[in-house]
Amino acid sequence: MASNLPIPLPPRTPTPPPDDPPSAPGNSSRLDAQDKDSLSPLVDSFPPQRGSLNTADPNRLSPTRASFTLSPSDNVPQNSQGDNGSAGPFNFKTTTMAKSPVVKSNIGQRRGHKYKHSSISHQIFLEPPPRAPLALPNSLPIPTFKECRASMSKDQKTRFWWSVCHMFVAAYTLWSAHGSLAMTALSHLILFDSLGALLCVSVDVLSNFEVWKRSSVRQPFGLERAEVLAGFAMCVLLLFMGMDLISHNLQHFLESSGHEPHHSHAHERVSVGSVDVTALLAISSTLISAIGLKNHGRIGKAMRFGYIESLPSVLSNPSHFLTLSCSTLLLLLPLVSVRLYNWLDVLLSSTISISMCVIGVRLVKTLGSMLLMSYSGPGVKDVIRDIEADPCVFGVDDARFWQVHYGLCMANLKLRVSGSEENLIRLRERISSLIRNRLGGGYGSGGQRWEVSLQFTIEKS
């Protein structure tokens, strides 16, 4: 039975509709009568083009001619445009823009910054507590040279001009040395004293402004640390001047031992029995600067020498002691013979140069530690030992002592203690008084001011 079934025909390829729409029902017979090869590229059976698209025209595809639009001469009825939707390949319609403002849509945008304002999230996102404004200003204006000169009082101007005169005394001492090594060393000492006097006047003038002592965010301790930096530079200069004098003495020793000198050193001395005016002038200028300007006063407090600490206030300062002793010995040198004068001159110059190096090294170490925010003074171990000996103290966990500038030191201690609240308050006062009396010299002595902060960890007894 399977052989009697008819073989199914393959599906027929659909024929595309003609370009011209059917105009009458009678055209259906003509479409049915079309040949099966009507769409073949080998048969010239395509419908003729409209009159406006002439195939014989060579410029029909020119971009300068509108050959893609239909002209009014085409045989297309007016109502066909409405049927097909457009008379050309493109349908461009005129659109009028709205003059009203465009409403912004919030669709697809993040609104997370508004969540905390909703009523649901009031218990989740809490407002931070208001902060009190900082008690310290961010920065304070630094005075210029013109402002400093305008703020100087009459006393400050007098002290300034005296420091300039002190420099001229140092220059005159160097000029009148006449090859004397001791007088040359004395001129270096007077130069160091005159620079210290000028620094004292500058500090006094800068203290007229608020930025010098008031703390700010940029300068937590004011500008007083600038004085420490200037003093450190002066101490380095003193150390180099002492080394220069030592090299000069060695050169003089080699020349006197038979080597040919590079230049002659004619050592002229003051006549026997006369007074050396230069040495007398050095003594008077040093005393005026030490008493009137408090020259090297802060440096003397920062650097203590046990050998001269018991002397009067002027002589207890190592810089003043060295200058005054050298000037006094130079006053006595004209009373000795010429041969002894040469030996004493070299010996005095060597002693002064070595003393300058020793003082310079000591000052550089002290002021350098001050710049590094540390305390190099004595008595720290004794203070900690006395604190540990208190019956309320179990131990000292941490102890930091550091010096900010000449007038301010700080002590931070962390202790393990036990006892009642009254005993702890009494212990806090006792430790603060112990540090101020042992390290600062006590109130009214003119020593450094100590700020003590204590942290107690209470142990269960």
Side-chain angles (χ1 to χ4, degrees), residues 71-84:
S71 62
S73 62
D74 294 337
N75 296 326
V76 179
Q78 295 295 330
N79 56 359
S80 64
Q81 184 176 359
D83 297 335
N84 297 334

Side-chain angles (χ1 to χ4, degrees), residues 44-107:
D44 189 11
S45 60
F46 291 99
Q49 301 293 331
R50 296 181 179 86
S52 61
L53 298 177
N54 188 8
T55 57
D57 190 2
N59 296 327
R60 67 184 183 89
L61 297 179
S62 175
T64 60
R65 299 185 58 186
S67 59
F68 294 96
T69 57
L70 296 176
S71 62
S73 62
D74 294 337
N75 296 326
V76 179
Q78 295 295 330
N79 56 359
S80 64
Q81 184 176 359
D83 297 335
N84 297 334
S86 176
F90 304 103
N91 183 15
F92 292 98
K93 295 181 180 180
T94 305
T95 303
T96 303
M97 299 297 293
K99 295 183 179 181
S100 59
V102 179
V103 179
K104 184 179 178 181
S105 175
N106 291 329
I107 299 176

Side-chain angles (χ1 to χ4, degrees), residues 110-178:
R110 296 184 62 184
R111 301 174 67 248
H113 64 283
K114 296 182 180 180
Y115 287 165
K116 71 185 186 69
H117 298 290
S118 62
S119 59
I120 300 176
S121 60
H122 279 173
Q123 302 299 326
I124 301 176
F125 299 96
L126 299 178
E127 293 288 342
R131 292 184 178 181
L134 293 176
L136 299 177
N138 188 19
S139 62
L140 294 173
I142 299 177
T144 60
F145 178 76
K146 185 177 180 180
E147 292 175 348
C148 291
R149 187 179 60 180
S151 66
M152 292 176 64
S153 61
K154 184 177 180 180
D155 180 60
Q156 292 173 351
K157 292 180 180 179
T158 304
R159 298 171 65 185
F160 171 75
W161 288 114
W162 167 248
S163 62
V164 175
C165 294
H166 201 168
M167 289 185 179
F168 279 108
V169 171
Y172 174 76
T173 305
L174 181 61
W175 176 77
S176 62
H178 298 299

Side-chain angles (χ1 to χ4, degrees), residues 77-376:
Q78 295 295 330
N79 56 359
S80 64
Q81 184 176 359
D83 297 335
N84 297 334
S86 176
F90 304 103
N91 183 15
F92 292 98
K93 295 181 180 180
T94 305
T95 303
T96 303
M97 299 297 293
K99 295 183 179 181
S100 59
V102 179
V103 179
K104 184 179 178 181
S105 175
N106 291 329
I107 299 176
Q109 295 182 0
R110 296 184 62 184
R111 301 174 67 248
H113 64 283
K114 296 182 180 180
Y115 287 165
K116 71 185 186 69
H117 298 290
S118 62
S119 59
I120 300 176
S121 60
H122 279 173
Q123 302 299 326
I124 301 176
F125 299 96
L126 299 178
E127 293 288 342
R131 292 184 178 181
L134 293 176
L136 299 177
N138 188 19
S139 62
L140 294 173
I142 299 177
T144 60
F145 178 76
K146 185 177 180 180
E147 292 175 348
C148 291
R149 187 179 60 180
S151 66
M152 292 176 64
S153 61
K154 184 177 180 180
D155 180 60
Q156 292 173 351
K157 292 180 180 179
T158 304
R159 298 171 65 185
F160 171 75
W161 288 114
W162 167 248
S163 62
V164 175
C165 294
H166 201 168
M167 289 185 179
F168 279 108
V169 171
Y172 174 76
T173 305
L174 181 61
W175 176 77
S176 62
H178 298 299
S180 175
L181 296 177
M183 190 64 71
T184 304
L186 179 62
S187 66
H188 287 69
L189 288 175
I190 297 175
L191 177 62
F192 178 71
D193 291 340
S194 63
L195 291 176
L198 183 62
L199 178 61
C200 291
V201 176
S202 301
V203 168
D204 194 14
V205 173
L206 288 174
S207 62
N208 298 334
F209 298 91
E210 189 180 14
V211 70
W212 181 252
K213 289 188 176 182
R214 185 180 177 185
S215 301
S216 62
V217 177
R218 181 167 295 181
Q219 291 94 15
F221 305 102
L223 283 182
E224 290 191 68
R225 283 178 61 83
E227 182 184 3
V228 182
L229 184 60
F232 181 81
M234 288 174 50
C235 297
V236 172
L237 178 62
L238 179 66
L239 179 61
F240 276 101
M241 288 191 299
M243 292 181 178
D244 179 69
L245 289 174
I246 291 176
S247 64
H248 194 70
N249 291 331
L250 291 176
Q251 181 182 358
H252 176 74
F253 175 76
L254 293 176
E255 291 175 357
S256 62
S257 62
H259 293 77
E260 182 179 358
H262 296 285
H263 52 276
S264 61
H265 291 275
H267 293 275
E268 301 178 4
R269 62 185 299 273
V270 183
S271 59
V272 179
S274 62
V275 178
D276 195 346
V277 181
T278 306
L280 190 62
L281 188 61
I283 293 175
S284 59
S285 61
T286 303
L287 288 176
I288 293 175
S289 295
I291 298 175
L293 276 69
K294 304 296 181 182
N295 187 20
H296 303 307
R298 296 179 180 88
I299 294 179
K301 293 177 182 178
M303 182 186 60
R304 301 172 183 176
F305 281 90
Y307 301 103
I308 61 176
E309 192 173 1
S310 58
L311 296 176
S313 59
V314 177
L315 296 178
S316 61
N317 193 310
S319 301
H320 299 158
F321 177 80
L322 189 59
T323 306
L324 293 175
S325 60
C326 178
S327 303
T328 305
L329 290 176
L330 284 175
L331 279 176
L332 300 176
L333 281 183
L335 303 178
V336 300
S337 61
V338 177
R339 184 176 181 180
L340 187 59
Y341 176 88
N342 295 331
W343 282 102
L344 289 177
D345 183 76
V346 175
L347 180 61
L348 183 58
S349 175
S350 302
T351 305
I352 293 174
S353 58
I354 294 174
S355 301
M356 290 172 64
C357 292
V358 171
I359 295 176
V361 170
R362 184 77 176 271
L363 284 174
V364 165
K365 182 180 178 181
T366 303
L367 299 182
S369 63
M370 197 181 302
L371 289 175
L372 296 176
M373 304 291 284
S374 62
Y375 181 73
S376 60

